[in-house]
């Protein structure tokens, strides 16, 4: 019998890629998602991509705050572990609507932990974020770096009281190489790559570059962009680590250890897509750090995991997804 893993937020960007890797790895995946920022079409495509393993995926449209619904699910099936990816993640919105973020990201976590405990399921992989490092005084950021959540979104991601593996994602980008699943943000994208992608397909006229006076090689902000397929693999590595009895609560960075500037990213995307990305230079975006990239030794050593892909690969995969799905999972412009 395949081992069953519950994936919250499994229809979203990170979740869908993780579910696919689970299925291909021989696991059974049960997805719960409330489809606020995601699409059921992603589930269907993951099923197709998984081929013969596709039938090991089941989907339930559930809001995690709906405790009776979650209880019912746990009563119907025994889960070996939970991968909790569901959450709201727009930093700007979290500052404007902190209660919405605490309600979603904390209440979901509390209800989930209560139901897990009641059913004797005590293995959890939780998606945290490099946002907890704030503006780091020293790079690379290691798991021991001080955490300073500078916004409500960050604060909802820094609870480490349970026995779990916390994965601190750096900047997930790219898409599955098939181009069938990828990131499909609602509204105006906050993040760099989805915005560049929408300029490339003609949905937006130009990219605004936030800040050209940082102390970096070309003055623009530097981040650690990691291919979403590598990130998904990191979840499988974490699941395997949970079988190790010595694990209590552990934190791992998932990044590449390499920094890339905004302008380097634009150049790589232009090369991969053959499209010119018009730029508008602007002031720094409030709350942004100058340089953030990961120390990767701990994940390499203890999870036996390392990112395989680099900037050219994820730009090619991003463009493949974008050119096949210019409006994401919607067939055309809304
Ligand atoms: C943001 C979030 C972080 C989240 C991550 C997911 C903040 C403070 N943090 O990080 O919590 O986990 O996304 O990937 O927002 N940029 C532009 N123009 C744009 C958009 C971005 O120049 O239209 C620049 C930014 O100034 C930054 C870089 O591109 O230097 C990356 O920005 P973004 O993709 O938003 O990621 P982060 O700010 O690193």
């Amino acid at each position: 019998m395949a081992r069953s893993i519950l994936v919250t937020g499994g229809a979203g960007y990170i979740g869908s890629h993780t579910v696919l890797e689970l299925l291909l790895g021989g696991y059974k995946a049960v997805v719960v998602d409330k489809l606020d920022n995601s699409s059921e079409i992603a589930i269907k495509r993951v099923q197709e991509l998984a081929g013969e393993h596709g039938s090991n995926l089941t989907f339930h449209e559930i809001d995690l705050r709906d405790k009776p619904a979650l209880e019912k699910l746990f009563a119907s099936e025994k889960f070996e572990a939970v991968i909790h990816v569901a959450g709201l993640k727009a930093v700007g919105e979290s500052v404007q609507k902190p209660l919405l973020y605490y309600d979603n990201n904390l209440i979901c976590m509390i209800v989930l932990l209560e139901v897990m405990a009641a059913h004797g399921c005590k293995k959890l992989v939780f998606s945290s974020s490099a946002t907890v490092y704030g503006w780091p005084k020293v790079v690379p950021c290691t798991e021991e770096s001080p955490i300073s959540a500078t916004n409500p979104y960050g604060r909802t991601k820094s609870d480490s009281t349970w026995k779990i593996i916390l994965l601190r994602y750096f900047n997930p980008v790219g898409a599955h190489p098939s181009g069938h699943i990828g990131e499909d943000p609602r509204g105006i994208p906050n993040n760099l790559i989805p915005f560049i992608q929408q300029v490339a397909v003609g949905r937006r006229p130009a990219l605004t570059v936030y800040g050209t006076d940082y102390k970096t090689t070309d003055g623009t902000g530097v981040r650690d962009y990691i291919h979403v397929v590598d990130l998904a693999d990191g979840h499988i590595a974490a699941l395997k680590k949970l079988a190790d009895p010595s694990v209590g609560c552990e934190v791992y960075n998932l990044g590449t250890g390499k920094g890339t500037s905004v302008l380097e990213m634009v150049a790589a995307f232009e090369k991969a897509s053959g499209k010119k990305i018009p730029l508008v230079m602007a002031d720094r975006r409030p709350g942004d750090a100058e340089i953030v990239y990961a120390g990767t030794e701990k994940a390499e050593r203890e999870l036996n995991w390392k990112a395989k892909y680099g900037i050219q690969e994820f730009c090619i995969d991003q463009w493949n997804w974008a050119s096949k799905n210019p409006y994401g999972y919607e067939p055309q412009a809304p």
Side-chain angles (χ1 to χ4, degrees):
M1 258 280 279
R3 291 170 303 165
S4 190
I5 310 295
L6 180 71
V7 186
T8 73
Y13 175 45
I14 312 293
S16 57
H17 288 82
T18 301
V19 169
L20 178 57
E21 295 306 315
L22 279 173
L23 296 172
L24 296 176
Y27 292 92
K28 201 167 163 253
V30 176
V31 170
V32 299
D33 200 301
K34 66 181 162 106
L35 301 179
D36 260 11
N37 269 319
S38 55
S39 164
E40 203 174 340
I41 299 168
I43 297 287
K44 294 203 177 67
R45 295 204 183 164
V46 167
Q47 250 157 352
E48 284 159 23
L49 289 170
E52 53 169 338
H53 300 287
S55 57
N56 282 334
L57 169 55
T58 48
F59 170 64
H60 302 267
E61 189 176 340
I62 291 178
D63 184 328
L64 287 176
R65 291 166 299 184
D66 182 351
K67 196 170 178 183
L70 206 58
E71 280 282 357
K72 209 169 140 199
L73 187 64
F74 272 79
S76 71
E77 184 150 0
K78 186 146 185 62
F79 299 111
E80 178 175 310
V82 175
I83 299 182
H84 180 40
V85 186
L88 298 178
K89 59 144 228 165
V91 171
E93 187 187 51
S94 83
V95 175
Q96 283 154 11
K97 304 176 188 167
L99 291 178
L100 178 73
Y101 272 64
Y102 294 130
D103 186 19
N104 258 276
N105 293 358
L106 289 181
I107 305 296
C108 285
M109 176 60 114
I110 293 165
V111 171
L112 179 65
L113 294 179
E114 283 172 351
V115 176
M116 284 175 70
H119 292 266
C121 174
K122 297 211 162 169
K123 288 183 179 167
L124 179 68
V125 177
F126 174 56
S127 57
S128 178
S129 164
T131 198
V132 300
Y133 295 122
W135 181 315
K137 288 203 178 69
V138 179
V139 283
C141 305
T142 71
E143 289 81 353
E144 285 74 42
S145 299
I147 56 175
S148 65
T150 54
N151 52 66
Y153 163 67
R155 243 167 255 136
T156 65
K157 289 273 173 179
S158 56
D159 182 332
S160 59
T161 55
W162 240 52
K163 299 211 170 242
I164 49 180
I165 289 186
L166 299 145
L167 298 175
R168 289 195 182 139
Y169 306 162
F170 281 69
N171 292 57
V173 290
H176 188 265
S178 63
H180 292 318
I181 53 173
E183 187 170 14
D184 180 18
R186 302 264 158 98
I188 302 168
N190 294 299
N191 297 120
L192 179 65
I193 297 301
F195 204 101
I196 294 181
Q197 158 178 338
Q198 293 197 3
V199 175
V201 299
R203 288 172 65 177
R204 306 198 182 270
L207 170 73
T208 306
V209 176
Y210 294 127
T212 51
D213 60 347
Y214 286 114
K215 286 190 223 82
T216 60
T217 43
D218 57 26
T220 64
V222 167
R223 295 291 183 276
D224 185 338
Y225 297 94
I226 173 165
H227 198 300
V228 66
V229 173
D230 275 332
L231 198 80
D233 273 343
H235 291 75
I236 314 299
L239 259 190
K240 291 184 177 151
K241 181 73 183 172
L242 283 175
D244 179 341
S246 70
V247 172
C249 182
E250 284 294 337
V251 179
Y252 295 99
N253 283 342
L254 295 185
T256 66
K258 290 186 197 74
T260 302
S261 74
V262 173
L263 294 183
E264 284 167 344
M265 200 60 170
V266 169
F269 195 88
E270 285 183 334
K271 190 170 165 216
S273 64
K275 301 278 176 188
K276 184 94 198 120
I277 307 295
L279 303 178
V280 175
M281 300 308 187
D283 289 343
R284 296 179 180 194
R285 185 172 63 176
D288 269 359
E290 189 163 70
I291 304 179
V292 186
Y293 61 90
T296 57
E297 291 77 13
K298 189 179 178 199
E300 281 173 36
R301 194 174 60 241
E302 296 183 16
L303 296 182
N304 200 18
W305 170 92
K306 191 177 173 15
K308 294 198 237 2
Y309 303 111
I311 175 166
Q312 280 311 326
E313 281 126 337
F314 57 65
C315 284
I316 288 168
D317 290 339
Q318 186 85 33
W319 177 241
N320 187 33
W321 153 252
S323 51
K324 285 179 176 158
N325 306 273
Y327 289 90
Y329 291 111
E330 299 297 326
Q332 64 214 9

